Amino acid sequence: MTQTEKDYNTLFSLSKKIRLYDSISYLLEWDQETYMPKKGKEIRAEQLALMASLSHQERTSKNYEQTLKKLIDLDSGEILDKNLPTHLQASIREWRRDFLKATSLPNVFVQEFARLASESTAAWAEARKQNRFSDFAPYLEKIIEQSRIKAEYLGYKDHPYDALIDCFEPNVTTAEIETLFSNLKKKITTLLHAILSSKQVDDRFLHGKFHAGKQLAFGRELLEAMGYDMEKGRLDLSNHPFSMTLHPSDSRVTTRIHRSSLFDSISAVLHEGGHSLYEMGLMPEYYGSPLCEAVSLGIHESQSRLWETRIGQSKPFWKYFLPLLKKYFKQLEKVNLSQFYKAINKVAPTFIRVESDEVTYSLHVILRFELEKKLIEGTLQVDEIPEAWNELMGTYLGIIPPTDREGCLQDIHWSMGAFGYFPTYTLGNLYAAHFFDAFEKKYPDWEEAVAKGNITFLTEWLKDKIHRHGRLYNAHELVKRVSGKKTSETLYLKYLTEKYGEIYHLGA
Amino acid sequence: MTQTEKDYNTLFSLSKKIRLYDSISYLLEWDQETYMPKKGKEIRAEQLALMASLSHQERTSKNYEQTLKKLIDLDSGEILDKNLPTHLQASIREWRRDFLKATSLPNVFVQEFARLASESTAAWAEARKQNRFSDFAPYLEKIIEQSRIKAEYLGYKDHPYDALIDCFEPNVTTAEIETLFSNLKKKITTLLHAILSSKQVDDRFLHGKFHAGKQLAFGRELLEAMGYDMEKGRLDLSNHPFSMTLHPSDSRVTTRIHRSSLFDSISAVLHEGGHSLYEMGLMPEYYGSPLCEAVSLGIHESQSRLWETRIGQSKPFWKYFLPLLKKYFKQLEKVNLSQFYKAINKVAPTFIRVESDEVTYSLHVILRFELEKKLIEGTLQVDEIPEAWNELMGTYLGIIPPTDREGCLQDIHWSMGAFGYFPTYTLGNLYAAHFFDAFEKKYPDWEEAVAKGNITFLTEWLKDKIHRHGRLYNAHELVKRVSGKKTSETLYLKYLTEKYGEIYHLGA
């Protein structure tokens, strides 16, 4: 073993310890959202804080820094031993990235920000309940002020918002998102207007009474069909659906069951299942290094949205699954495939982002991005948010929330200090369009297979093309590698236009 | 604040951190036994090892030692500031005890022992499956050898086994247990012979087909009746019933459901519920100090056995609960209280300790204690175990296991290196007899109340007399304080003799 290999292994061990700390935090969080007794909350907060501090301590330690420095020049990012295999070089490059990120924020700042975010989240929840934006405003002001300081600590070239995006979507800039989003906005609003002028879709049969246990059982069938290994995961209930990964061999999903609405949980299961399949597809032998980590939130979202929309809202998928679904829910007996397909793809503007359809979803995200950018720049003041929000809702979606609860108070993100997060939702859809385009080229007959219930060849393909690489490539590199094209909005718009053109009989 | 109070608080913080580490390990274990996906096992072992090492590191650190030394003389055990309130002095005294215990074993030894125990447990499981004691014997030899070394490290006055008991039941000696057990053995075998010569009890209606979901639902009713707060705990399924406490506000129980046998899960729920009520009754403001910790395994067992046997196998309890049970299980409709009471108290020697009745249970424990003591002394060799086991089974219970699987291979304890553990099961019964005697004196009409479904006054009494004190008193002090008597076998034997004398119509 060379000295470099020894140093690499030392860093790998340190990094694996951090990963173990984090995986323990994830279990604490999973339990909190699923089975924890109500009054266990207080001690849970202390357990989580302890694990977070251990993880932070380790990832910013002198020991860690010195080991890293033996492998890479921290300033220039130059790998010291060029004989190392490419994937190990990539790993070191990403370790440096994480280290610089972790150490650029002073400990005191991190703790203060965490405390503020925790208080703000509580204040937001109460303000939303009371439907009083003004109660949340002073917290939000502080959060924005601190986010600006955070951006300065992190550093950026052109725009402070760049630094914030980079925490969730490495190497993507504000300018780039602006270009993508302005094209999307134009084309999607045009498409939306055309849809709204057409004959509307009937989806009443998706609402009624649907036994919770049966919904769960059907959800498990879906997961198994996706190739989700039930010995490496499980499906439980929680207030908000999520996917939680301790290791590629333990990646769990949750869903929320509405007894009166059938498709919500189906969507959630496919979405969270997509996230978990990504984590299950990482290579366990690299566990503890960036080679066994997801690229970015956007790439993660591409996996969940691909399963949720490209498969779970497709006709061939339901050609196979609708008959199974009817076995669970006799009331759907007379619904045919075409009716079902249209209903699950119904487009109708709604105030609430998480309830929105595939066409309007991006508009919700773009609205938030535009406000966030201005808030960070200082060209929009906190007290101006409700008006600005409602105005954009009117412009993009043609509807205006009656109160802030259905408007600017609906999302938790700002209260948590997660500025820069929202764009990744839409980036995920764009990435998914690139990936699915490549998949369709490789498997032009995919619809026939899926209509027979064979879907795991997609899982395998995603694992081969995306999952197994971990952070070997960044998002844009990966998109280019898989699809042969630079990330753009074109493929996504093409998909939306064709699909909804057919459903709503729009002229070509 | 005085300097002593400051030092106390410093130690309290350090100790609380250790408690948090351990509480996180407990959640990892709880999850492992309840909901963890099968293939999550490997990473779970790493997470547990990491938390165990953090906990051990902290509790044996120089920093910890130096803080402790400011409060107590480590050699003599003399508290340095006599002005401290008694309960804080007790806390410091127990901290010293734990520190000396933790530091008396070299790190290398602890790690080696843990590795050996882990290997031995796997070897034991396989040997039991194959029903070949000889496959397990070499591991057991090493475990015994290491346990002897452990005893030397820990130190003892009279017998190396004293040091091992002391790990589970502080301040109790081999000699003391020998006296208690020899009296018990004599009286119980006499009682057993009388019972076996009498008319046998019919318990066939406890065996049949009992819906698992209904058993669970009834279990939850029992827990609530006991005063178990469902917002501070929960009931789940696992392979072996257990109680797991993260904090007085998060103490969970599990049970195992046999569809063909009704009373197993009822017993398990009452037993584990008793353990959890103890932990829920500790004072959360002391969390992190010995004042919020259970006294010993024996005292813990006294709480579980008190609920399981003194209440859960009593007539007044079932006067109230049998009608409820019949609502769940129609097949019991024609069973009357007297039949039910006799059936759940049926005495019949069995090979398996965990399936044994209240009368024979202690004989199983005494047999193990006698073998353990000889093994540690070196007066019994490992290859002589099967014969010695079967001989004692014949003498005490009048039955001889057909194979070692039903004999000396049945328990996991030795493979885990838990020599000294078994006696605590019987000590628990003796302590429970003392506590219940005091309770009956305080509430001579308890049977009437319980027969009406009012039981929480017992929970409150136990909390007041036992739980809330934490480790303020040791086991014998607590027994003396509550019952006014020195720990002995008398009250327990009186209870057994009277109860089973009535059930089996034995002459007085």
Side-chain angles (χ1 to χ4, degrees):
Chain A
M1 200 183 279
T2 67
Q3 187 55 43
T4 311
E5 284 164 346
K6 277 186 204 160
D7 294 335
Y8 184 93
N9 286 340
T10 307
L11 190 59
F12 195 1
S13 308
L14 290 174
S15 175
K16 182 165 176 187
K17 202 175 179 184
I18 296 167
R19 188 70 186 271
L20 282 174
Y21 287 145
D22 294 343
S23 76
I24 293 168
S25 293
Y26 298 155
L27 181 72
L28 289 164
E29 285 168 6
W30 176 86
D31 180 72
Q32 178 167 296
E33 302 303 325
T34 52
Y35 296 114
M36 186 185 80
K38 202 175 160 189
K39 292 177 181 159
K41 206 175 166 176
E42 227 169 289
I43 194 70
R44 183 55 42 91
E46 294 192 48
Q47 293 168 326
L48 281 167
L50 178 61
M51 293 314 295
S53 84
L54 284 176
S55 171
H56 182 74
Q57 211 172 296
E58 198 74 35
R59 70 176 83 226
T60 55
S61 73
K62 270 275 155 256
N63 183 17
Y64 191 93
E65 178 172 7
Q66 264 142 22
T67 315
L68 184 58
K69 272 181 167 168
K70 289 181 186 161
L71 296 160
I72 192 167
D73 184 304
L74 281 186
D75 295 323
S76 68
E78 198 190 335
I79 300 277
L80 301 184
D81 182 348
K82 304 289 194 304
N83 294 323
L84 266 184
T86 329
H87 66 292
L88 300 191
Q89 293 197 25
S91 188
I92 295 168
R93 184 191 70 216
E94 295 300 298
W95 267 322
R96 170 179 172 264
R97 189 192 136 80
D98 295 345
F99 178 75
L100 294 179
K101 196 73 90 192
T103 49
S104 60
L105 304 173
N107 273 349
V108 180
F109 178 82
V110 171
Q111 282 165 21
E112 185 55 26
F113 198 93
R115 197 194 49 72
L116 173 62
S118 159
E119 283 174 18
S120 301
T121 306
W124 161 78
E126 188 57 26
R128 186 169 80 149
K129 204 169 140 194
Q130 302 297 335
N131 206 358
R132 268 207 305 265
F133 180 77
S134 58
D135 288 358
F136 176 46
Y139 291 92
L140 186 52
E141 264 165 28
K142 277 187 222 152
I143 284 274
I144 291 168
E145 190 187 309
Q146 294 300 305
S147 297
R148 281 200 209 107
I149 298 174
K150 186 177 162 188
E152 295 305 321
Y153 277 130
L154 291 168
Y156 53 88
K157 236 170 79 185
D158 298 319
H159 196 288
Y161 193 72
D162 287 354
L164 303 178
I165 303 172
D166 198 68
C167 296
F168 304 109
E169 200 63 24
N171 315 305
V172 169
T173 64
T174 313
E176 195 182 341
I177 291 179
E178 277 190 312
T179 310
L180 292 169
F181 282 14
S182 92
N183 291 342
L184 273 178
K185 190 166 64 175
K186 213 161 43 188
K187 300 277 172 52
I188 291 180
T189 45
T190 308
L191 175 64
L192 180 61
H193 289 144
I195 290 173
L196 295 180
S197 323
S198 314
K199 187 165 177 283
Q200 292 311 291
V201 156
D202 183 2
D203 71 341
R204 279 173 299 180
F205 55 81
L206 293 177
H207 303 275
K209 260 184 139 178
F210 302 94
H211 187 273
K214 287 183 183 175
Q215 288 197 53
L216 257 186
F218 184 71
R220 293 206 174 89
E221 281 207 40
L222 290 180
L223 286 173
E224 298 208 33
M226 292 166 76
Y228 178 92
D229 183 348
M230 278 294 178
E231 293 197 338
K232 293 182 177 173
R234 38 182 304 117
L235 174 63
D236 295 278
L237 295 176
S238 62
N239 280 331
H240 298 279
F242 65 90
S243 149
M244 187 66 91
T245 304
L246 315 186
H247 182 270
S249 294
D250 188 348
S251 180
R252 312 173 184 192
V253 294
T254 72
T255 185
R256 170 174 53 184
I257 302 275
H258 294 291
R259 275 165 203 269
S260 61
S261 178
L262 177 61
F263 211 69
D264 292 346
S265 173
I266 290 174
S267 282
V269 166
L270 292 163
H271 184 98
E272 304 308 336
H275 280 307
S276 267
L277 281 180
Y278 185 4
E279 300 273 348
M280 284 179 175
L282 294 164
M283 300 278 98
E285 59 267 41
Y286 296 126
Y287 184 80
S289 88
L291 296 173
C292 183
E293 281 173 11
V295 176
S296 68
L297 281 188
I299 296 294
H300 231 305
E301 192 72 6
S302 78
Q303 300 305 293
S304 56
R305 291 290 281 177
L306 189 149
W307 281 101
E308 179 192 354
T309 63
R310 303 302 297 251
I311 295 299
Q313 290 173 228
S314 77
K315 210 182 272 175
F317 184 78
W318 288 104
K319 186 167 178 188
Y320 181 77
F321 276 104
L322 183 56
L324 290 181
L325 187 65
K326 288 180 179 180
K327 284 189 188 158
Y328 284 95
F329 302 104
K330 296 270 178 276
Q331 65 258 56
L332 296 178
E333 216 165 30
K334 287 185 182 155
V335 178
N336 69 32
L337 179 59
S338 164
Q339 289 167 325
F340 190 80
Y341 173 66
K342 284 182 183 173
I344 63 174
N345 286 295
K346 182 180 177 170
V347 176
T350 165
F351 303 123
I352 307 298
R353 176 181 57 85
V354 297
E355 295 172 1
S356 67
D357 59 77
E358 208 179 358
V359 173
T360 56
Y361 191 80
S362 298
L363 299 174
H364 285 272
V365 171
I366 291 168
L367 175 154
R368 285 154 177 78
F369 162 72
E370 290 175 349
L371 295 182
E372 279 195 355
K373 187 181 156 255
K374 285 187 183 162
L375 287 166
I376 294 298
E377 280 171 2
T379 54
L380 180 74
Q381 301 312 308
V382 165
D383 59 5
E384 298 168 335
I385 291 177
E387 207 190 315
W389 183 288
N390 294 351
E391 202 188 309
L392 287 180
M393 280 295 283
T395 311
Y396 299 161
L397 291 164
I399 53 174
I400 292 172
T403 73
D404 291 337
R405 191 189 280 149
E406 295 84 32
C408 60
L409 275 176
Q410 71 184 267
D411 298 302
I412 197 176
H413 301 61
W414 290 346
S415 76
M416 292 165 62
F419 278 79
Y421 191 116
F422 281 119
T424 68
Y425 289 127
T426 288
L427 287 172
N429 284 320
L430 305 190
Y431 298 152
H434 278 265
F435 296 148
F436 210 74
D437 183 65
F439 171 71
E440 287 187 307
K441 280 183 179 134
K442 170 79 182 172
Y443 295 101
D445 301 333
W446 72 271
E447 298 196 325
E448 284 168 41
V450 168
K452 287 179 191 138
N454 304 324
I455 326 181
T456 51
F457 68 106
L458 168 59
T459 318
E460 288 306 315
W461 184 86
L462 290 170
K463 179 171 176 171
D464 182 51
K465 295 292 171 191
I466 298 157
H467 307 171
R468 71 183 172 93
H469 301 301
R471 291 165 65 185
L472 183 57
Y473 312 106
N474 72 31
H476 286 336
E477 287 166 359
L478 191 66
V479 165
K480 185 76 200 290
R481 225 183 110 85
V482 176
S483 72
K485 299 187 182 80
K486 195 172 162 291
T487 311
S488 87
E489 75 291 354
T490 326
L491 291 167
Y492 185 56
L493 284 171
K494 183 167 174 283
Y495 154 70
L496 285 184
T497 313
E498 286 178 7
K499 175 174 174 182
Y500 289 92
E502 189 223 317
I503 294 175
Y504 283 92
H505 308 287
L506 309 179
Chain B
M1 199 183 278
T2 68
Q3 186 56 43
T4 310
E5 283 164 347
K6 277 186 202 159
D7 294 335
Y8 184 92
N9 286 340
T10 306
L11 190 60
F12 195 0
S13 306
L14 290 174
S15 175
K16 182 165 175 187
K17 202 174 177 185
I18 295 166
R19 188 70 186 272
L20 282 174
Y21 287 145
D22 293 343
S23 76
I24 293 169
S25 292
Y26 299 155
L27 181 71
L28 289 164
E29 284 168 6
W30 176 85
D31 181 72
Q32 178 167 296
E33 301 303 325
T34 52
Y35 295 114
M36 187 185 80
K38 201 174 160 193
K39 291 176 181 161
K41 203 174 169 179
E42 228 169 287
I43 194 69
R44 183 55 43 91
E46 294 192 48
Q47 294 167 325
L48 280 167
L50 179 60
M51 292 316 295
S53 85
L54 283 175
S55 171
H56 182 73
Q57 210 172 296
E58 199 74 35
R59 71 177 81 224
T60 56
S61 73
K62 270 277 158 250
N63 183 20
Y64 190 96
E65 179 172 8
Q66 264 143 22
T67 316
L68 184 58
K69 272 180 168 171
K70 290 180 187 161
L71 296 160
I72 192 168
D73 184 305
L74 281 187
D75 295 324
S76 69
E78 196 189 336
I79 300 277
L80 302 184
D81 181 351
K82 303 289 193 307
N83 294 322
L84 266 185
T86 329
H87 66 292
L88 301 190
Q89 293 198 26
S91 189
I92 295 168
R93 183 192 71 215
E94 294 301 297
W95 266 323
R96 169 177 173 265
R97 187 191 138 80
D98 294 345
F99 177 76
L100 294 180
K101 195 72 92 192
T103 49
S104 61
L105 304 173
N107 274 349
V108 179
F109 177 82
V110 172
Q111 282 164 20
E112 184 55 26
F113 198 94
R115 197 195 49 72
L116 174 63
S118 159
E119 283 174 19
S120 300
T121 307
W124 162 77
E126 188 56 27
R128 186 169 78 151
K129 203 169 141 195
Q130 302 297 335
N131 205 357
R132 265 206 307 266
F133 180 77
S134 58
D135 288 357
F136 175 49
Y139 291 91
L140 186 51
E141 265 165 28
K142 276 188 223 152
I143 284 274
I144 292 167
E145 192 187 308
Q146 293 300 307
S147 297
R148 282 200 209 107
I149 297 174
K150 185 177 162 188
E152 296 305 321
Y153 277 130
L154 292 168
Y156 53 87
K157 235 169 80 186
D158 298 317
H159 196 289
Y161 192 71
D162 287 353
L164 302 179
I165 303 173
D166 196 69
C167 296
F168 304 109
E169 200 64 23
N171 315 306
V172 169
T173 64
T174 313
E176 194 182 341
I177 292 178
E178 278 191 311
T179 311
L180 291 170
F181 282 12
S182 92
N183 290 343
L184 274 177
K185 190 165 64 174
K186 213 161 43 187
K187 300 276 172 53
I188 291 179
T189 43
T190 309
L191 175 64
L192 180 62
H193 288 144
I195 289 172
L196 294 179
S197 321
S198 315
K199 187 167 175 284
Q200 291 311 291
V201 157
D202 183 2
D203 71 343
R204 278 173 300 179
F205 54 81
L206 294 178
H207 302 274
K209 261 185 139 176
F210 302 93
H211 186 272
K214 288 183 182 176
Q215 288 198 54
L216 256 186
F218 185 71
R220 293 206 174 90
E221 281 206 40
L222 290 180
L223 286 173
E224 298 209 32
M226 291 166 79
Y228 178 92
D229 183 347
M230 276 295 177
E231 293 197 339
K232 293 183 179 175
R234 36 180 306 118
L235 173 63
D236 296 276
L237 295 176
S238 62
N239 280 331
H240 298 279
F242 65 90
S243 150
M244 187 68 89
T245 304
L246 314 186
H247 182 269
S249 294
D250 189 349
S251 181
R252 313 173 183 192
V253 294
T254 72
T255 184
R256 171 173 53 185
I257 302 277
H258 293 290
R259 277 165 202 268
S260 62
S261 176
L262 178 61
F263 211 70
D264 292 345
S265 174
I266 291 174
S267 282
V269 165
L270 292 163
H271 184 98
E272 304 308 335
H275 279 307
S276 267
L277 281 180
Y278 185 3
E279 300 275 346
M280 285 178 174
L282 294 164
M283 301 277 99
E285 60 266 41
Y286 297 125
Y287 184 79
S289 87
L291 297 174
C292 182
E293 282 174 10
V295 176
S296 69
L297 280 188
I299 296 293
H300 231 305
E301 191 72 5
S302 78
Q303 300 305 294
S304 56
R305 291 291 280 177
L306 188 149
W307 281 100
E308 179 192 354
T309 62
R310 303 302 297 251
I311 296 298
Q313 288 173 230
S314 78
K315 211 181 273 177
F317 184 79
W318 288 104
K319 186 167 179 188
Y320 181 77
F321 276 103
L322 184 57
L324 290 180
L325 186 65
K326 287 181 179 179
K327 284 190 188 159
Y328 284 94
F329 302 105
K330 297 270 178 275
Q331 66 258 55
L332 296 177
E333 217 165 31
K334 288 183 181 157
V335 177
N336 67 33
L337 179 60
S338 164
Q339 290 168 325
F340 190 81
Y341 173 66
K342 284 183 183 172
I344 63 175
N345 285 295
K346 181 179 178 171
V347 176
T350 165
F351 303 124
I352 308 297
R353 175 181 56 85
V354 297
E355 294 171 3
S356 67
D357 59 76
E358 206 179 359
V359 173
T360 56
Y361 191 79
S362 298
L363 298 174
H364 285 272
V365 171
I366 292 168
L367 174 154
R368 284 154 179 79
F369 162 72
E370 291 176 347
L371 296 183
E372 279 195 355
K373 184 179 159 258
K374 284 186 184 164
L375 287 166
I376 294 297
E377 281 172 0
T379 54
L380 179 74
Q381 301 311 309
V382 165
D383 59 5
E384 299 168 334
I385 291 177
E387 207 189 316
W389 184 287
N390 293 352
E391 202 187 308
L392 287 181
M393 279 296 282
T395 312
Y396 299 162
L397 290 164
I399 53 174
I400 291 171
T403 74
D404 292 335
R405 190 188 280 149
E406 295 84 32
C408 60
L409 274 176
Q410 69 182 267
D411 298 302
I412 197 176
H413 302 59
W414 291 346
S415 76
M416 293 165 60
F419 279 79
Y421 191 118
F422 281 119
T424 68
Y425 290 127
T426 289
L427 286 172
N429 284 320
L430 305 190
Y431 298 152
H434 278 264
F435 296 148
F436 209 76
D437 182 66
F439 170 72
E440 287 187 304
K441 279 182 181 135
K442 169 81 182 174
Y443 294 102
D445 300 333
W446 72 271
E447 298 195 323
E448 284 168 43
V450 167
K452 286 179 190 140
N454 305 324
I455 325 181
T456 51
F457 69 105
L458 169 59
T459 317
E460 287 307 315
W461 184 84
L462 290 170
K463 180 171 176 170
D464 181 52
K465 294 291 171 193
I466 298 157
H467 307 172
R468 71 184 172 93
H469 301 301
R471 290 165 67 185
L472 183 57
Y473 312 106
N474 73 31
H476 286 335
E477 285 166 0
L478 190 67
V479 165
K480 185 77 199 287
R481 225 183 109 87
V482 176
S483 72
K485 298 188 184 80
K486 196 173 161 291
T487 311
S488 88
E489 75 291 354
T490 327
L491 290 167
Y492 184 58
L493 284 171
K494 183 168 173 284
Y495 154 69
L496 284 184
T497 313
E498 287 178 7
K499 175 175 174 182
Y500 291 91
E502 188 223 318
I503 293 174
Y504 283 92
H505 308 287
L506 309 179

